[in-house]
C-alpha cells in the first residue's frame, strides 16, 4: 500500500520512525512518502519536507510565518494528489494537519490520525473537525479514550504510548565510557537540562535554567542538544566550566542523570520513564502566554501530572519560573522524601501508559482501517 505521513516536530519524527518500521514489517510492499525528520528518513521511504523548515513556536511566531505555512499547505496538497496514497497518516502537529485533513477528506482520501491533537487542553470545538475529517483516531494517552468516547461519542483506539518502546529498545549505556567520550566529570552527579527544540524556547529556557548553576557546584549540568539546532546556536550558553553540552543523545544522558530541569512537552514524560526526578519549566513571550492562558483549560501543563491527575512534578510556569524558585524546587528533588515520592509515582505512571507495542498496535489498526 501507499502511505503518506505528516509529522512536524522532533517528537513526531521519533514516533513516525517507529510507526514506519512497524508498517514496513507488516506490509513489505509499503511505499511511504512523508514529512518528518532524520529518524523517519533512516526508517525508509521518501522525505518530502524536513520538520526543521516548519518549526514555529507560539502564536506570535506562527503569525509571523503565515506566508511560509500557506505555501507549505499548498505544496502538501499538490504532493498528495500526485502520490495518490491509500491512506494519509497525521502525527500530532494539529495546526497544519487538521487543515490538510479537511481537504484530504473532501478529495476522498482515507485519513488516520496517530497521536491526537490536544483538544482536551484547548479549543475543544475542534472535535467537530475531527469527527468530520478523520476516519480513525489512534490515541496514546490513557485519558484520551474516555475524553473522545464518553464525552464526545467518537470511538478511538488506545494503542499505548510509543515512548515505552523507544526507550526500552535502546542499547544500555556504559556510564563511565559515556562520561569520558563526552568530556564529563567522572564523578559529579549530572543535572540534565532539556530546554526544548525550537530556537525561541531554548534561548528563553536555557537562560533561566543556567541561572542556578552557581548554586550547585557539587553537580555538573549538561544541556541536551536538540537535533533541530546546531552547536553554534548553543555556544553562548557554554561559558561556565560546570556546564557541558551533548547533542542528539538525550536518552543516553537521561539514563545516567540524577535530576533534570525540563521544558514542558513530551520531554517531561521521557524524563519520567527514565525515573529521573524533574522540575517542569515553561515561559512564553507575553502575548503567546496571554492567549494560551485564555484558551487552555487544564489544571496542569505537564503530561506526567495530567496522566496521574495530581501534582507529581513541580511546574514553574511564566512568572513563577524564577531563579529563586528553580533553586528551591531543584534542591527538593536532589535528595530526600520529595525525590523518593516522585520516583514512586513514576512507577505507577508507567503502568498507566499501557506497556510495550504502541507502534505495532497503531500500524495494525491503520492497515485494518484502509
Amino acid at each position: 500500500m501507499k502511505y503518506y505521513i505528516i509529522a512536524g516536530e522532533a517528537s513526531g519524527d521519533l514516533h513516525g520512525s517507529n510507526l514506519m518500521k512497524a508498517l514496513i514489517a507488516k506490509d513489505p510492499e509499503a511505499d511511504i512518502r512523508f514529512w518528518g525528520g532524520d529518524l523517519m528518513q533512516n526508517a525508509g521511504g521518501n522525505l518530502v519536507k524536513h520538520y526543521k523548515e516548519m518549526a514555529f513556536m507560539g502564536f506570535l511566531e506562527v503569525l509571523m510565518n503565515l506566508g511560509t505555512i500557506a505555501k507549505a499547505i499548498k505544496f502538501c496538497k499538490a504532493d498528495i494528489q500526485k502520490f495518490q496514497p491509500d491512506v494519509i497518516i497525521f502525527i500530532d502537529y494539529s495546526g497544519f494537519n487538521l487543515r490538510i485533513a479537511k481537504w484530504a477528506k473532501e478529495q476522498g482520501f482515507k485519513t488516520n490520525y496517530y497521536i491526537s491533537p490536544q483538544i482536551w487542553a484547548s479549543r475543544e470545538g475542534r472535535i467537530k473537525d475531527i469527527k468530520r475529517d478523520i476516519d480513525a483516531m489512534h490515541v496514546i494517552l490513557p485519558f484520551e479514550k474516555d475524553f473522545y468516547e464518553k464525552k464526545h461519542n467518537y470511538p478511538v483506539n488506545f494503542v499505548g504510548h510509543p515512548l515505552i518502546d523507544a526507550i526500552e529498545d535502546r542499547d544500555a549505556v556504559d556510564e563511565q565510557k559515556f562520561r569520558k567520550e563526552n568530556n564529563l566529570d567522572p564523578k559529579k552527579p549530572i543535572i540534565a537540562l532539556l530546554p526544548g527544540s525550537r530556537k525561541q524556547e531554548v534561548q528563553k529556557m536555557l537562560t533561566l535554567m543556567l541561572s542556578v548553576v552557581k548554586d550547585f557546584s557539587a553537580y555538573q549540568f549538561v544541556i541536551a542538544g536538540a537535533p533541530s539546532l546546531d552547536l553554534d546556536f548553543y555556544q553562548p550558553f557554554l561559558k561556565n566550566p560546570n556546564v557541558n553540552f551533548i547533542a542528539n543523545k538525550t536518552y543516553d544522558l537521561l539514563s545516567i542523570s540524577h535530576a533534570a530541569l525540563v521544558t514542558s512537552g513530551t520531554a517531561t514524560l521521557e524524563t519520567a520513564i527514565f525515573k529521573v526526578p524533574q522540575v517542569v519549566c515553561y515561559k512564553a513571550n507575553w502575548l503567546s502566554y496571554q492567549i494560551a492562558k485564555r484558551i487552555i483549560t487544564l489544571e496542569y501543563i505537564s503530561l506526567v501530572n495530567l496522566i496521574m491527575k495530581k501534582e507529581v512534578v513541580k511546574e514553574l510556569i511564566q512568572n513563577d519560573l524564577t531563579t529563586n524558585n528553580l533553586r528551591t524546587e531543584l534542591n527538593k528533588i536532589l535528595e530526600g522524601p520529595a525525590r523518593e515520592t516522585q520516583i514512586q509515582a513514576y512507577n505507577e505512571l508507567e503502568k498507566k501508559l499501557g506497556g510495550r507495542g504502541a507502534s505495532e498496535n497503531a500500524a495494525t489498526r491503520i492497515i485494518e482501517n484502509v
Side-chain angles (χ1 to χ4, degrees):
M1 287 199 306
K2 297 171 75 173
Y3 306 85
Y4 199 99
I5 305 176
I6 305 175
E9 299 173 302
S11 60
D13 181 37
L14 170 64
H15 302 322
S17 68
N18 289 325
L19 176 65
M20 286 171 65
K21 292 173 187 175
L23 287 170
I24 293 168
K26 294 178 181 297
D27 179 8
E29 300 300 315
D31 183 3
I32 302 176
R33 191 166 174 81
F34 65 91
W35 294 45
D38 299 342
L39 295 176
M40 292 175 74
Q41 192 164 24
N42 291 338
N46 297 299
L47 175 65
V48 179
K49 190 177 286 288
H50 202 288
Y51 70 81
K52 291 180 183 179
E53 299 178 47
M54 299 291 290
F56 307 125
M57 177 197 173
F59 300 100
L60 183 58
E61 289 77 19
V62 169
L63 285 172
M64 292 171 62
N65 289 279
L66 284 177
T68 300
I69 296 169
K71 289 179 182 177
I73 289 173
K74 182 178 179 181
F75 172 78
C76 184
K77 291 176 180 178
D79 197 57
I80 291 172
Q81 281 283 26
K82 183 178 180 180
F83 185 59
Q84 287 293 305
D86 295 294
V87 60
I88 302 172
I89 304 167
F90 304 100
I91 300 179
D92 200 359
Y93 198 48
S94 62
F96 186 89
N97 276 337
L98 286 177
R99 287 178 172 83
I100 299 297
K102 180 178 185 297
W103 168 86
K105 187 65 176 177
E106 291 170 349
Q107 301 302 310
F109 290 107
K110 199 75 172 179
T111 56
N112 276 226
Y113 219 118
Y114 176 48
I115 307 180
S116 166
Q118 296 180 350
I119 67 169
W120 37 265
S122 66
R123 298 170 60 200
E124 193 170 333
R126 290 178 291 173
I127 184 63
K128 295 178 182 178
D129 298 336
I130 288 172
K131 284 184 171 182
R132 181 191 66 213
D133 301 329
I134 304 301
D135 294 312
M137 174 70 75
H138 314 287
V139 302
I140 64 172
L141 297 171
F143 61 80
E144 290 178 319
K145 187 170 178 65
D146 283 347
F147 171 83
Y148 277 110
E149 295 187 345
K150 293 183 178 179
K151 188 171 184 180
H152 293 291
N153 193 32
Y154 177 68
V156 299
N157 306 309
F158 173 58
V159 296
H161 205 293
L163 281 179
I164 300 293
D165 288 340
I167 290 172
E168 291 189 3
D169 288 345
R170 49 182 290 282
D171 295 329
V173 173
D174 180 323
E175 181 170 352
Q176 289 308 313
K177 182 180 178 182
F178 183 82
R179 285 174 178 258
K180 184 176 181 180
E181 288 176 347
N182 292 282
N183 300 313
L184 304 180
D185 187 289
K187 295 182 179 179
K188 277 187 176 183
I190 293 170
I191 297 175
L193 304 180
L194 279 64
S197 60
R198 300 180 181 95
K199 284 186 177 182
Q200 299 97 329
E201 69 178 346
V202 172
Q203 287 171 333
K204 193 182 301 290
M205 302 312 300
L206 266 184
T207 300
L208 286 159
M209 290 175 174
L210 292 173
S211 69
V212 302
V213 170
K214 63 182 183 300
D215 301 302
F216 298 92
S217 58
Y219 297 83
Q220 58 185 318
F221 289 74
V222 183
I223 299 170
S228 55
L229 302 172
D230 57 30
L231 175 59
D232 288 343
F233 172 79
Y234 290 97
Q235 285 291 0
F237 302 101
L238 303 177
K239 297 176 181 178
N240 189 312
N242 202 31
V243 176
N244 289 280
F245 171 82
I246 298 177
N248 304 327
K249 296 179 182 177
T250 300
Y251 284 5
D252 290 347
L253 174 61
L254 284 173
S255 73
I256 63 170
S257 291
H258 185 75
L261 302 180
V262 186
T263 295
S264 180
T266 304
T268 63
L269 199 55
E270 293 170 318
T271 303
I273 295 173
F274 276 102
K275 308 297 190 295
V276 179
Q278 63 183 299
V279 179
V280 175
C281 309
Y282 179 78
K283 193 164 193 172
N285 67 62
W286 183 87
L287 178 61
S288 292
Y289 178 71
Q290 292 302 318
I291 296 172
K293 188 169 66 171
R294 286 159 174 77
I295 65 173
I296 294 176
T297 58
L298 300 174
E299 185 175 358
Y300 304 109
I301 65 168
S302 70
L303 287 172
V304 175
N305 291 344
L306 286 169
I307 294 169
M308 294 299 290
K309 299 180 180 179
K310 63 180 181 180
E311 185 182 78
V312 170
V313 296
K314 183 65 178 181
E315 299 178 354
L316 296 178
I317 305 170
Q318 207 65 10
N319 293 334
D320 289 334
L321 183 56
T322 65
T323 299
N324 286 339
N325 287 343
L326 261 181
R327 183 190 305 117
T328 298
E329 298 303 330
L330 181 55
N331 258 318
K332 289 179 183 178
I333 61 170
L334 292 178
E335 305 293 341
R339 177 181 177 83
E340 297 307 316
T341 298
Q342 202 171 114
I343 292 173
Q344 288 173 10
Y346 285 165
N347 294 327
E348 184 182 347
L349 169 74
E350 193 165 350
K351 293 177 183 177
K352 289 180 177 288
L353 291 176
R356 294 177 60 90
S359 301
E360 184 176 347
N361 292 339
T364 298
R365 295 282 194 167
I366 288 168
I367 292 170
E368 289 175 349
N369 189 251
V370 176

